[in-house]
Amino acid sequence: MSLDQLSKETAVQQREGEEIQGRSLWDDARRRLLTNKAAVASMVILTVMVVVAVVGPWLHPHLFDEVYWDYIQAPPDWEAGFYFGTDTNGRDLFVRTLYGIRISMMVGLIATAVSLVIGVTYGAIAGYIGGRTDHIMMRIVDILYSMPFMFFVILLMVIFGRNIFLIFAALGAVEWLTMARIVRGQTLSIKNREFVEAARATGVSSFSIIRRHIIPNVMGPVIVYVTLTIPGVILVESFLSFLGLGVQEPMTSLGVLISEGAQQMESAPWTLLFPATALALILFCFNFIGDGLRDALDPHDR
């Protein structure tokens, strides 16, 4: 074989090797997620809402706590800059809705992050250690499940006051129980797999196995559940705010705005329409994203 033929054959083999490069499971899941039009549209809408909620109050001419005595409960007026009208106290409803989106999204994301850290750690430890330790840890979860957590959260709000950071902690402490059960079940299914056995045989500590092998391999179902937990937390916060146990005035959330708008629904329907639409849009978007992630990460559809 001549030198030219050898070089040509080597070049062909290199091109074939480049063409046969495989994709990881996460790359494949991302590709499948991006083909889901509802999930992609929801991500775009959520991104736009978050950007407008963060930047909008700085650019808007009206402050969220400023009272306009000439515009008490006024309908939407674009010339005056009241795009959503004003509430019963003469405050601009548009900028207050943007602040409500800020607070509701912050509560949902931070409380879910708290439940994610606690639930994933607790469930992974219980599932990996197993035996009596697993039995005791899951019985604790069952006992906590039997407690009326909504009453517990309301009691905390009454005793310690309506503190937004307390809402974060309380809601996060409630939502981690289901997360722990999901992670524990996934851990039981993979703790005897070959790669875990290999790591154990090489002397890797249990903590390192949980951190480097167990938790990364259970993140698929966890990510899907997170996208479904966020709207649930937002709804709980909105319910607390509807009862008057949420954020304190003059700060607001979507639940507070909906509560105020429900009282003026007949005389000023715009005070209920715009905050309720914003909350419904957020919930729909997170549910569509959760459905898209579930389909993208489902191994049976690959």
Side-chain angles (χ1 to χ4, degrees), residues 8 46 75 86 108 227 268 272 298:
K8 289 180 181 179
L46 272 181
T86 60
T227 59
L272 175 64
D298 189 355

Side-chain angles (χ1 to χ4, degrees), residues 119-131:
V120 170
T121 304
Y122 193 93
I125 293 174
Y128 181 76
I129 295 177

Side-chain angles (χ1 to χ4, degrees), residues 41-119:
S42 298
M43 289 187 286
V44 172
I45 293 173
L46 272 181
T47 302
V48 171
M49 291 183 69
V50 170
V51 171
V52 173
V54 173
V55 179
W58 296 344
L59 304 178
H60 195 61
H62 304 306
L63 300 177
F64 77 98
D65 56 351
E66 185 174 356
V67 177
Y68 298 90
W69 298 105
D70 296 332
Y71 292 91
I72 299 294
Q73 209 174 51
D77 185 352
W78 283 72
E79 294 183 358
F82 300 113
Y83 305 136
F84 290 176
T86 60
D87 60 9
T88 55
N89 295 318
R91 296 173 297 190
D92 179 45
L93 188 60
F94 174 73
V95 71
R96 288 183 66 79
T97 301
L98 296 184
Y99 271 92
I101 294 174
R102 278 188 185 183
I103 296 299
S104 295
M105 291 289 289
M106 190 183 305
V107 169
L109 293 174
I110 295 180
T112 302
V114 172
S115 69
L116 180 67
V117 172
I118 299 175

Side-chain angles (χ1 to χ4, degrees), residues 24-277:
S24 67
L25 295 179
W26 289 106
D27 291 336
D28 188 50
R30 182 173 62 251
R31 180 183 58 83
R32 292 165 60 86
L33 178 63
L34 294 178
T35 59
N36 190 316
K37 296 181 180 179
V40 172
S42 298
M43 289 187 286
V44 172
I45 293 173
L46 272 181
T47 302
V48 171
M49 291 183 69
V50 170
V51 171
V52 173
V54 173
V55 179
W58 296 344
L59 304 178
H60 195 61
H62 304 306
L63 300 177
F64 77 98
D65 56 351
E66 185 174 356
V67 177
Y68 298 90
W69 298 105
D70 296 332
Y71 292 91
I72 299 294
Q73 209 174 51
D77 185 352
W78 283 72
E79 294 183 358
F82 300 113
Y83 305 136
F84 290 176
T86 60
D87 60 9
T88 55
N89 295 318
R91 296 173 297 190
D92 179 45
L93 188 60
F94 174 73
V95 71
R96 288 183 66 79
T97 301
L98 296 184
Y99 271 92
I101 294 174
R102 278 188 185 183
I103 296 299
S104 295
M105 291 289 289
M106 190 183 305
V107 169
L109 293 174
I110 295 180
T112 302
V114 172
S115 69
L116 180 67
V117 172
I118 299 175
V120 170
T121 304
Y122 193 93
I125 293 174
Y128 181 76
I129 295 177
R132 181 174 297 179
T133 301
D134 177 35
H135 181 77
I136 294 174
M137 293 179 71
M138 297 316 295
R139 295 298 75 75
I140 293 174
V141 171
D142 293 338
I143 293 172
L144 293 177
Y145 254 121
S146 65
M147 297 177 61
F149 268 105
M150 183 56 67
F151 176 76
F152 176 69
V153 172
I154 293 175
L155 188 63
L156 286 177
M157 298 295 107
V158 173
I159 295 176
F160 297 101
R162 293 181 297 176
N163 189 303
I164 185 122
F165 297 104
L166 183 59
I167 295 176
F168 294 159
L171 295 181
V174 170
E175 295 294 333
W176 72 269
L177 298 174
T178 304
M179 185 80 70
R181 280 188 166 182
I182 293 174
V183 174
R184 182 248 185 187
Q186 293 293 318
T187 302
L188 289 175
S189 66
I190 66 173
K191 71 174 186 177
N192 294 322
R193 300 281 294 274
E194 291 80 2
F195 62 92
V196 178
E197 292 289 348
R200 192 182 297 117
T202 56
V204 179
S205 64
S206 298
F207 175 77
S208 297
I209 292 176
I210 293 174
R211 180 175 58 87
R212 298 173 57 186
H213 299 285
I214 300 296
I215 292 179
N217 283 279
V218 302
M219 290 307 294
V222 168
I223 291 173
V224 176
Y225 183 71
V226 163
T227 59
L228 301 177
T229 302
I230 293 175
V233 173
I234 293 176
L235 277 178
V236 173
E237 185 276 329
S238 299
F239 176 71
L240 291 174
S241 297
F242 191 86
L243 296 178
L245 299 173
V247 298
Q248 296 181 353
E249 291 285 354
M251 191 55 67
T252 188
S253 71
L254 292 178
V256 173
L257 294 175
I258 292 172
S259 176
E260 295 173 351
Q263 300 174 9
Q264 309 296 329
M265 183 172 55
E266 296 183 359
S267 60
W270 60 87
T271 58
L272 175 64
L273 176 63
F274 293 111
T277 301

